[in-house]
Amino acid sequence: MKNCLKKNISIAVIIISSLLFLVFERQNVQYYRVLDVIEGDKIYIDLNYDGKSSADELFHLKNVNTFPKKYNSKLEYYSKRYDITEEEALYLGQKAFEYTKNKLLGREIAFIKEPAPYNPKYYYRFAEISLNDKNFGITLLEEGLAFAYEGKGFNPYKTYENLKKIKKNAKMCGKSCLKSSITNFKNNEKNQGFKQDENTRTIIYTDSPVFTSGDVEIFLVNPNGMPKPSYMAKTKACKAILDNIRNAQNSIDFALYGLDKQDDILKALIEAKNRGIKIRGVVDSKPDNSYVYNDTAKLNANFDTVADFKSPFMHNKFFIFDEKSVITGTMNVSATGCSGYNANTVVLINNSSVARVFTQEFNQMHGGKFQQNKEDSSIKGLKISDKITLDVYFSPAGTLIYQGILPIIHNAKEEIFVSIFYLTNKEIIDALIAAKRRGVDVKIIHDAVGANNMKEKIRTLRAAGIYLKVENWGGKDHEKNMVIDGKYFITGSANFSYSGAKKNDENVLIFKSTDIAGFYRKHFLNLYNSIDNQYLKITPRAESFESGNSCYDGIDNNFDGKIDSDDIGCKR
């Protein structure tokens, strides 16, 4: 009896000691609140208790992956890997997102182990997290909403992977899976306008609209419509260039950053020369006599062409036809430009006054005067029609920032929408932040390459409350555009940078026209809404499974010397 009592007492002591130990341990555990859920396996955790999501507070569940919640190459790969349809994978991605959001958003979690440091290659940190003393990654695996990472080395979660449960959950998709939505996405170059995808809650927008009013025609190029670059002139903008080359009667002058794999345009220029058209050109070149685009040498070989041979860029992209018409804008005559893989804007103006202004600028460069050696050819207040007034600025001699762009930003009262490849000019950034502080609605679409090269400026703009989305297209946001208060539309070859204003040969057009501004404003908002809201907070890599078809397009999207599967962002 005494032995039994002693035994029971010993067991009780052990249990009480264990409970006290657990209570003590729990009191020493640090808890953090989940601020936002991006996908089933990606969450923001408030490490510094300030209630705001910061770049270094985005975490990916360690060794656990969920299916993406929108269609992309990664979803396509995983659907094949786990033998389910793409629609079912999309359904599981959305379900995992909803499950994680319901379980974690606003809740307090703990780290099972010290989380990994911020990884600039992935833009997040890896961590194992605990909810109610259970590893949340394992919970997702047991629910059949995730799969274990299949990398090298020992994976402690491998035993929890339940492929049968994943497939069972996938079959629950049933009629709610809209196969047409993915089919439309894959064939979206045939689509017009935008559609709401009920699975992803994102907008698929593929239209490349054209504006025509009197002497002005504007071509907007939507990057959502092309899966990869092409050597053919597929866009309406490049077809307009071809038509004007073929219809030229006397002369063609061009100032181009370069030529890249666009034989149709080269052939049309040669044919024009052969029928007696006078053709002159200006191109960019490096101090060592090389070119950014190798095919630029073909322009030099066939035409009366002058190169700058300087470090600053001759960054213009314009044609002058018969001293009567001008085609200019943001688009390079390249495989990514003329195919429509990059976002661009091209303007055709059939106006002899505009042509004379561009000819004056061209003649200086063709005569060997570049950059700081030129006189200012800029002109303000050109009356194109009763509804359209145009200012034309040339840099670096012109004051396109101080007299052109900044006064309009300073006087903005309602909204400023910006679509840009590079936004680094301090005066413009400060003016946009000041506009936001006085109540102006400021929205920005920024290219992923530019954003990854200027992370501090992106953080500054976002911290000021500006709604800045970094695009996740395959191609680039090559635009250099603003639309302000539904009255002003700004476009041209110059990025909003110090070099664009002070060093390079560039041109910028400022239209005062409610018709043109309204036309571009609608396009901007459609593009902006087609980018997932997660990219208001995080910055996707330009060459990765996050960015459209960039891992399969055959080009070096982020200019790091690595293409597709050789790039770190495209590693499985």
Side-chain angles (χ1 to χ4, degrees):
M1 184 70 175
K2 291 182 179 180
N3 290 335
C4 183
L5 181 61
K6 288 182 179 179
K7 184 176 181 181
N8 289 337
I9 292 173
S10 298
I11 293 172
V13 169
I14 292 171
I15 292 173
I16 292 170
S17 299
S18 299
L19 290 172
L20 289 173
F21 176 78
L22 289 172
V23 169
F24 179 79
E25 283 294 302
R26 186 169 180 81
Q27 288 176 343
N28 285 277
V29 172
Q30 196 80 23
Y31 287 89
Y32 304 91
R33 187 173 298 279
V34 175
L35 293 174
D36 200 1
V37 176
I38 304 303
E39 288 195 337
D41 53 9
K42 295 187 189 74
I43 59 175
Y44 276 99
I45 300 174
D46 193 7
L47 296 183
N48 56 8
Y49 303 102
D50 67 350
K52 298 178 182 179
S53 301
S54 303
D56 64 345
E57 293 179 325
L58 178 61
F59 288 85
H60 190 300
L61 298 179
K62 187 176 180 182
N63 291 329
V64 174
N65 287 318
T66 60
F67 294 94
K69 63 184 178 73
K70 65 181 292 186
Y71 179 81
N72 55 29
S73 303
K74 193 174 181 180
L75 182 136
E76 186 178 8
Y77 170 79
Y78 286 137
S79 65
K80 292 178 181 178
R81 176 69 184 82
Y82 293 100
D83 192 27
I84 58 178
T85 69
E86 293 170 354
E87 292 73 31
E88 290 168 340
L90 194 65
Y91 171 80
L92 288 173
Q94 186 68 26
K95 287 297 179 183
F97 167 71
E98 292 172 356
Y99 182 87
T100 299
K101 189 173 182 180
N102 290 334
K103 291 288 185 180
L104 297 186
L105 187 60
R107 300 284 297 277
E108 291 190 344
I109 58 90
F111 292 110
I112 296 173
K113 297 178 181 178
E114 185 71 19
Y118 176 73
N119 189 327
K121 291 183 179 179
Y122 294 103
Y123 304 99
Y124 48 66
R125 306 169 69 173
F126 290 101
E128 297 175 76
I129 68 170
S130 171
L131 177 67
N132 299 329
D133 298 325
K134 185 168 183 180
N135 187 314
F136 187 73
I138 293 177
T139 299
L140 282 175
L141 292 168
E142 292 176 334
E143 290 290 330
L145 295 174
F147 49 91
Y149 174 66
E150 298 184 34
K152 295 179 181 179
F154 174 69
N155 187 339
Y157 298 158
K158 191 70 176 178
T159 56
Y160 293 96
E161 183 177 324
N162 187 343
L163 186 55
K164 289 183 179 179
K165 189 67 177 289
I166 288 176
K167 290 188 174 183
K168 182 179 178 181
N169 286 341
K171 296 304 177 185
M172 294 174 64
C173 178
K175 292 182 180 179
S176 65
C177 280
L178 300 179
K179 189 169 184 177
S180 60
S181 66
I182 289 182
T183 302
N184 286 340
F185 187 93
K186 289 180 176 179
N187 300 303
N188 56 20
E189 65 270 18
K190 298 178 182 178
N191 293 345
Q192 296 295 319
F194 60 87
K195 295 185 177 182
Q196 184 76 26
D197 183 327
E198 294 184 14
N199 283 321
T200 65
R201 305 294 189 269
T202 56
I203 292 173
I204 299 173
Y205 171 66
T206 60
D207 197 11
S208 290
V210 178
F211 171 91
T212 303
S213 178
D215 294 335
V216 178
E217 198 163 9
I218 300 177
F219 305 87
L220 302 180
V221 183
N222 184 338
N224 286 314
M226 281 297 295
K228 61 176 60 179
S230 171
Y231 298 164
M232 298 180 66
K234 291 189 173 185
T235 61
K236 294 176 183 177
C238 268
K239 289 176 181 177
I241 294 174
L242 281 171
D243 288 344
N244 278 271
I245 292 173
R246 290 164 180 162
N247 293 326
Q249 299 297 310
N250 300 302
S251 65
I252 301 173
D253 293 333
F254 60 80
L256 299 177
Y257 183 50
L259 180 71
D260 172 47
K261 301 179 180 68
Q262 292 300 297
D263 290 344
D264 287 349
I265 288 179
L266 178 62
K267 180 182 177 183
L269 286 169
I270 293 172
E271 289 174 349
K273 177 184 175 182
N274 291 339
R275 68 173 189 271
I277 305 300
K278 180 182 179 182
I279 299 180
R280 301 183 299 166
V282 173
V283 297
D284 179 70
S285 61
K286 300 177 184 179
D288 63 359
N289 296 349
S290 65
Y291 305 101
V292 173
Y293 297 137
N294 291 331
D295 287 349
T296 306
K298 297 178 182 179
L299 295 174
N300 292 338
N302 286 282
F303 310 109
D304 176 14
T305 302
V306 176
D308 66 335
F309 299 117
K310 294 182 179 180
S311 294
F313 295 145
M314 200 305 296
H315 200 238
N316 284 290
K317 310 101 168 39
F318 69 75
F319 290 83
I320 308 167
F321 301 100
D322 297 331
E323 299 183 354
K324 295 179 180 179
S325 302
V326 173
I327 290 181
T328 187
T330 71
M331 185 183 71
N332 289 314
V333 183
S334 66
T336 53
C338 278
S339 68
Y341 196 52
N342 292 343
N344 274 301
T345 297
V346 175
V347 180
L348 166 60
I349 307 175
N350 295 305
N351 183 287
S352 56
S353 295
V354 175
R356 279 196 296 273
V357 173
F358 274 86
T359 299
Q360 181 180 343
E361 178 74 3
F362 174 86
N363 284 338
Q364 290 191 78
M365 294 186 291
H366 195 261
K369 293 183 179 180
F370 291 91
Q371 287 103 42
Q372 298 294 344
N373 295 323
K374 294 182 305 181
E375 296 179 3
D376 187 12
S377 301
S378 304
I379 190 167
K380 297 180 66 175
L382 282 172
K383 198 77 172 177
I384 306 301
S385 71
D386 291 340
K387 294 184 176 182
I388 303 173
T389 302
L390 175 65
D391 298 344
V392 181
Y393 288 91
F394 297 98
S395 65
T399 54
L400 66 91
I401 296 293
Y402 297 103
Q403 292 187 12
I405 297 174
L406 283 178
I408 302 176
I409 296 177
H410 291 320
N411 291 320
K413 293 178 173 56
E414 297 178 3
E415 59 187 28
I416 304 171
F417 298 157
V418 183
S419 179
I420 188 66
F421 183 61
Y422 263 102
L423 173 54
T424 58
N425 183 276
K426 186 179 185 301
E427 287 86 351
I428 291 180
I429 290 174
D430 290 345
L432 291 173
I433 292 173
K436 176 65 179 179
R437 287 173 178 165
R438 66 175 183 267
V440 176
D441 180 14
V442 183
K443 289 184 173 68
I444 299 174
I445 301 173
H446 204 293
D447 178 76
V449 175
N452 279 291
N453 288 331
M454 46 167 283
K455 294 177 182 177
E456 187 57 41
K457 289 183 172 62
I458 295 295
R459 281 194 286 267
T460 298
L461 288 161
R462 285 172 167 167
I466 290 173
Y467 295 109
L468 187 154
K469 285 187 177 181
V470 178
E471 53 78 22
N472 66 324
W473 307 320
K476 290 183 277 292
D477 182 3
H478 199 250
E479 292 189 320
K480 303 93 171 56
N481 296 349
M482 288 191 192
V483 60
I484 301 175
D485 283 350
K487 297 178 183 178
Y488 298 95
F489 174 58
I490 302 172
T491 191
S493 67
N495 287 298
F496 303 141
S497 63
Y498 175 81
S499 295
K502 293 293 186 180
K503 296 177 71 175
N504 299 339
D505 292 303
E506 310 269 12
N507 74 86
V508 169
L509 308 179
I510 301 179
F511 288 97
K512 185 177 182 181
S513 164
T514 56
D515 291 342
I516 292 176
F519 165 73
Y520 183 77
R521 179 184 185 277
K522 180 179 179 181
H523 177 71
F524 173 90
L525 288 174
N526 287 339
L527 277 181
Y528 182 88
N529 290 331
S530 73
I531 302 170
D532 196 291
N533 283 340
Q534 67 175 308
Y535 298 117
L536 283 166
K537 297 180 179 179
I538 61 176
T539 298
R541 287 164 294 181
E543 192 157 13
S544 71
F545 293 117
E546 296 172 290
S547 294
N549 203 41
S550 62
C551 289
Y552 305 98
D553 59 12
I555 62 173
D556 181 10
N557 304 75
N558 55 1
F559 309 111
D560 67 349
K562 298 175 182 178
I563 296 175
D564 293 352
S565 61
D566 291 333
D567 195 285
I568 184 66
C570 298
K571 301 278 187 192
R572 294 295 182 189

